[in-house]
Amino acid sequence: MKVRVLGSCAGGGLPQWNCGGDNSVRARRGDPDVPARTQPGLAVSADGVRWSILNASPDLRGQLAAFPALHPKPGTRDVPLDTVAVTSAELDHVLGLLVLREALSFRIVSTHWVREAMLDHNAAWHLLQPIWSSVPLDAPVALDRDGRLEARFFPVAPKVPTYLREVAKPHAETTTGLRITELASGARIAFVPGLKTLDSATAAELAAADVRFVDGTFFSADELRKVVPGAPDATAMGHAPIAGTDGTLAALAGLPGRTWYVHMNCTNPVLDAASPERARVRRAGVEIADDGLEIEL
Ligand code: MLT
Ligand code: MN
């Protein structure tokens, strides 16, 4: 199985347009330790020919332009994209679906809750209805047309996206992770870009994967308050911090295989390659995903 990180940052990317925090300032200046990053998503493939996408950020147009494997065959409109799987209705995970609206030549899959949340509340999204199917939690669904990659959505602690709070109630299907298995080899990845609390079932999913991509939004619980006075703690915003007693790093340290943080917020000090926080994550055996990272397993 091949994996490409299309975008490694959280919604807003780096630099974030309205942020004057250190990382955004340095990224704007072109500081090599703080490279610019796009908003979150992965691409996966069994053979390097047919691809599926996990979460569609508003940066998807540029991410596809930068990735020749997903370009159309010259002289045609054939793009080797089979499925876009979305783990939640967060805008940074779904806005890219409308970026793809020129052709409905692929399929969208999510849980029923996510599909209904998106399609029920905004007329523009109705155009995606014919290609959007829902699957129950933990049920297998083929990602690629050849059936070589199997996806399963597993539940994580639910967080209703802010813009849906008035109209939708939290449900087991609200926020999910994805387990992707290559059937021929058994190779398995886990993708959990939004993780409010690391419960034992989610920890078991992460431990059972060969490679995992995990929510690394905030390094510390109060990080956002440094640039946004009065901002809530990380967990209240739906993201367990990396550090601290309830942090994810302690649970991820020492897991077999490889672990990458994704969905880093522009305020996260790990985005500075020379920071002590980055060094601490690396000492625990965890890596920070970069845009364009490609791995094979
Ligand atoms: C999140 O990851 O919590 C959301 O993307 C934040 C938001 O855009 O409301
Ligand atoms: Mn997000």
Side-chain angles (χ1 to χ4, degrees), residues 11 90-92 159 162 237 239 263:
E90 294 289 348
L91 289 173
D92 52 343
K159 180 220 164 190
T162 314
M237 285 185 282
H239 303 284
H263 192 278

Side-chain angles (χ1 to χ4, degrees), residues 50-51 53 56 60 79-85 96-109 128 130-132:
R50 306 295 309 176
W51 288 83
I53 289 175
L60 192 52
V79 176
L81 173 63
D82 289 328
T83 301
V84 182
L97 296 171
L98 290 181
V99 169
L100 300 176
R101 69 190 174 282
E102 288 78 15
L104 302 183
S105 54
F106 59 96
R107 182 169 77 115
I108 303 167
V109 292
L128 300 173
I131 61 164
W132 196 324

Side-chain angles (χ1 to χ4, degrees), residues 187-214:
R188 193 203 274 199
I189 70 165
F191 175 52
V192 187
L195 186 60
K196 185 176 179 180
T197 50
L198 183 50
D199 57 32
S200 57
T202 308
E205 272 293 341
L206 293 174
D210 302 299
V211 165
R212 50 200 80 78
F213 296 90
V214 182

Side-chain angles (χ1 to χ4, degrees), residues 121-197:
H121 301 295
N122 189 325
W125 292 85
H126 291 173
L127 72 97
L128 300 173
Q129 196 160 3
I131 61 164
W132 196 324
S133 51
S134 57
V135 286
L137 290 170
D138 300 312
V141 57
L143 275 188
D144 55 322
R145 67 177 187 190
D146 303 323
R148 293 158 76 170
L149 292 184
E150 176 197 90
R152 291 174 194 253
F153 292 94
F154 58 86
V156 298
K159 180 220 164 190
V160 175
T162 314
Y163 72 100
L164 284 170
R165 272 194 200 143
E166 303 293 310
V167 291
K169 291 195 178 5
H171 184 277
E173 294 187 353
T174 302
T175 312
T176 66
L178 271 167
R179 180 203 303 179
I180 312 289
T181 310
E182 183 179 36
L183 294 177
S185 66
R188 193 203 274 199
I189 70 165
F191 175 52
V192 187
L195 186 60
K196 185 176 179 180
T197 50

